[in-house]
Amino acid sequence: REAAYLAAARTAADSAAVAWALQNARVAHAASRLRPEPGSVFVRDSMMAENVRWILAQRPAGARAVLWAHNSHVARNPRWLGAHLERL
């Protein structure tokens, strides 16, 4: 289904806009499934890392990115965002 949306884009800019809209929909859908349970922060951090990975893949060669997050999220502890980002 996503391929159909991307195929319908008429220009590269349209294609990029569709790709971003689809990614935003994926993020919103994932966030809607989060529940306040023990350990859910680790699921959230892995989803945040996946979103960062996707965003970095969209940037032009040589472009830089800035990411900010709470210290506990960017810590390199296993299962936290920082540990996921370290593997990118």
Side-chain angles (χ1 to χ4, degrees), residues 2 5-6 14-28 54:
E2 291 182 18
Y5 290 127
L6 291 167
D14 288 347
S15 182
V18 168
W20 277 95
L22 291 168
Q23 179 64 11
N24 286 328
R26 282 190 289 272
V27 169
W54 186 90

Side-chain angles (χ1 to χ4, degrees), residues 66-79:
V66 176
L67 170 74
W68 62 92
H70 188 275
N71 290 349
S72 63
H73 287 292
V74 295
R76 292 180 177 155
N77 295 327
R79 299 169 50 186

Side-chain angles (χ1 to χ4, degrees), residues 25-81:
R26 282 190 289 272
V27 169
H29 181 257
S32 73
R33 294 186 334 238
L34 287 175
R35 301 290 176 256
E37 299 167 355
S40 66
V41 68
F42 302 122
V43 174
R44 180 174 171 235
D45 276 34
S46 69
M47 290 187 314
M48 289 190 299
E50 175 55 29
N51 193 42
V52 170
R53 186 206 58 76
W54 186 90
I55 290 169
L56 293 177
Q58 306 313 303
R59 66 189 171 151
R64 295 180 179 206
V66 176
L67 170 74
W68 62 92
H70 188 275
N71 290 349
S72 63
H73 287 292
V74 295
R76 292 180 177 155
N77 295 327
R79 299 169 50 186
W80 289 91
L81 176 61

